[in-house]
Amino acid sequence: MKIDYNEILQQITLDLKNIKYKGDVANYIPELKSVDPNKFGISLQFLNKRGYNSGDFNIKFSIQSVSKVFALAMAFEKLGNKIWHRVGVEPSGTSFNSLLQLEYENGIPRNPFINAGALVVCDILIDLLSEPKKDFLKFVQKLAGNIHIQYNKNVARSESEVGYRNASLAYLLKDFGNIKNPVDKVLDFYFHICSIEMTCEELSKSFLVFANHGINPHNKEKILSESKTKRLNALMQSCGFYDESGEFTFTVGLPGKSGVGGGIAAIFPGEFAISVWSPRLNKKGNSILGMKALELFTTISGKSVF
Ligand code: GLN
């Protein structure tokens, strides 16, 4: 039977509107406090160019930690397996900005998708790129097939003004010798990559490369080798949702990545990318309705990698 994706997305949007749920927008970054908590958007984009959208799919939001996937893709392709000397590939089982484990484990972050790991990836990129902020943005624009993707300077500044915990992580990493560049430079780059804004539709389109064995579907350029793409997807599966990565695998069953802006992007290898945005977060920093929407989607469509 042919699956009616339009119908599925409309139904999910309607069903979720009726759920009375708690949770709040990320309020530790002042600039994100003003986001309307009731927004909900979803976008499903296939490699065969078919696309289906529903709700607030066309409104830009702060993708935050979702951009850690782009940063890893860029660093992994450039540095290869040497990257794993400085960051691990295990789920952390701790919150995204935890300091504890980093001290115990001598400054080697568990994986590239917790903040400490992403800070190390940023440090690596600063060494590899001639103009890190410019080059990274260009890379993301290429993946999105869209030159209008931008940083939100206000969000980056707002986060840097209160980024004490990320600064603590960066100094601890520096003390262990796992950050080579000046801490301020690494933090500034990190806050910028987190501040990228996209709509659900743009985010899905920019994740298609990970469903397409590393080939950018917009210009056919090979961004990441097939083997590295598999590994990056494996990391999304095991580490994409901090200490809720098991839960996401259990209930949704797709490799994906969340951000505290309330966005989630996920992929089904060889077929599609799907993004959801709903700013209310649970205690673990993941979008409550975003997770619910993707659970409904994979249940109804039967499209999970398992
Ligand atoms: N910029 C945010 C931070 O570093 C990203 C966290 C997230 O999206 N989980 O705290």
Side-chain angles (χ1 to χ4, degrees):
M1 202 179 74
K2 204 165 167 290
I3 305 174
D4 187 340
Y5 289 107
N6 248 330
E7 164 78 25
I8 295 177
L9 296 196
Q10 304 300 332
Q11 195 56 48
I12 291 173
T13 309
L14 260 177
D15 288 354
L16 292 186
K17 276 214 165 115
N18 295 324
I19 294 187
K20 295 273 168 285
Y21 54 94
K22 299 199 183 76
D24 215 343
V25 303
N27 50 18
Y28 72 100
I29 302 175
E31 195 68 22
L32 293 185
K33 270 193 219 163
S34 52
V35 174
D36 177 354
N38 298 319
K39 291 280 181 247
F40 176 87
I42 185 161
S43 174
L44 169 65
Q45 300 294 326
F46 281 84
L47 285 168
N48 67 11
K49 299 213 174 356
R50 292 225 170 85
Y52 307 87
N53 302 304
S54 177
D56 302 307
F57 70 91
N58 217 4
I59 297 181
K60 298 246 189 211
F61 61 92
S62 192
I63 71 166
Q64 291 295 318
S65 284
V66 181
S67 69
K68 290 174 175 144
V69 180
F70 302 133
L72 177 64
M74 202 178 192
F76 191 17
E77 186 57 23
K78 286 183 183 295
L79 196 63
N81 285 328
K82 277 198 273 187
I83 196 168
W84 311 122
H85 298 156
R86 294 181 59 185
V87 59
V89 295
E90 293 294 338
S92 68
T94 58
S95 65
F96 63 85
N97 54 10
S98 169
L99 282 149
L100 273 177
Q101 204 170 47
L102 193 61
E103 165 90 33
Y104 283 136
E105 299 187 354
N106 302 315
I108 305 293
R110 273 283 173 106
N111 68 67
F113 295 152
I114 49 174
N115 288 15
L119 286 162
V120 170
V121 171
C122 283
D123 185 54
I124 290 170
L125 284 176
I126 290 173
D127 279 338
L128 295 173
L129 303 174
S130 50
E131 291 184 86
K133 283 192 243 175
K134 211 167 147 192
D135 297 346
F136 179 75
L137 188 61
K138 264 204 197 136
F139 176 71
V140 176
Q141 289 172 338
K142 263 205 293 185
L143 295 190
N146 181 342
I147 53 161
H148 301 294
I149 306 294
Q150 288 297 335
Y151 297 119
N152 180 326
K153 299 267 174 202
N154 292 334
V155 171
R157 190 178 337 104
S158 174
E159 187 166 6
S160 82
E161 280 163 11
V162 295
Y164 312 117
R165 195 165 260 274
N166 284 318
S168 309
L169 287 167
Y171 279 108
L172 194 54
L173 286 162
K174 182 88 179 163
D175 185 61
F176 278 112
N178 203 6
I179 277 195
K180 317 284 177 203
N181 292 285
V183 164
D184 287 351
K185 198 168 172 184
V186 176
L187 284 171
D188 180 58
F189 183 44
Y190 172 78
F191 292 139
H192 272 81
I193 75 159
C194 290
S195 79
I196 284 186
E197 290 187 323
M198 287 191 193
T199 68
C200 287
E201 190 175 17
E202 289 166 349
L203 187 55
S204 287
K205 286 186 175 165
S206 62
F207 259 62
L208 277 175
V209 62
F210 307 120
N212 199 31
H213 316 291
I215 298 167
N216 183 350
H218 310 296
N219 62 4
K220 308 286 176 252
E221 188 188 344
K222 189 117 192 140
I223 293 293
L224 202 58
S225 78
E226 187 150 4
S227 156
K228 289 193 180 101
T229 309
K230 277 195 254 179
R231 292 192 163 178
L232 184 133
N233 290 342
L235 281 171
M236 281 202 262
Q237 190 74 63
S238 54
C239 312
F241 297 79
Y242 318 111
D243 39 347
E244 231 176 11
S245 299
E247 178 77 16
F248 190 81
T249 290
F250 188 68
T251 54
V252 178
L254 295 175
K257 183 74 200 82
S258 64
V260 291
I264 299 177
I267 58 126
F268 188 100
E271 284 198 39
F272 63 79
I274 184 164
S275 300
V276 201
W277 172 51
S278 166
R280 286 186 199 267
L281 308 178
N282 62 21
K283 294 260 175 316
K284 314 271 185 181
N286 295 317
S287 168
I288 299 172
L289 287 197
M291 286 182 71
K292 191 76 210 158
L294 292 174
E295 179 185 346
L296 286 171
F297 174 78
T298 54
T299 304
I300 300 168
S301 67
K303 294 280 185 188
S304 111
V305 295
F306 300 103

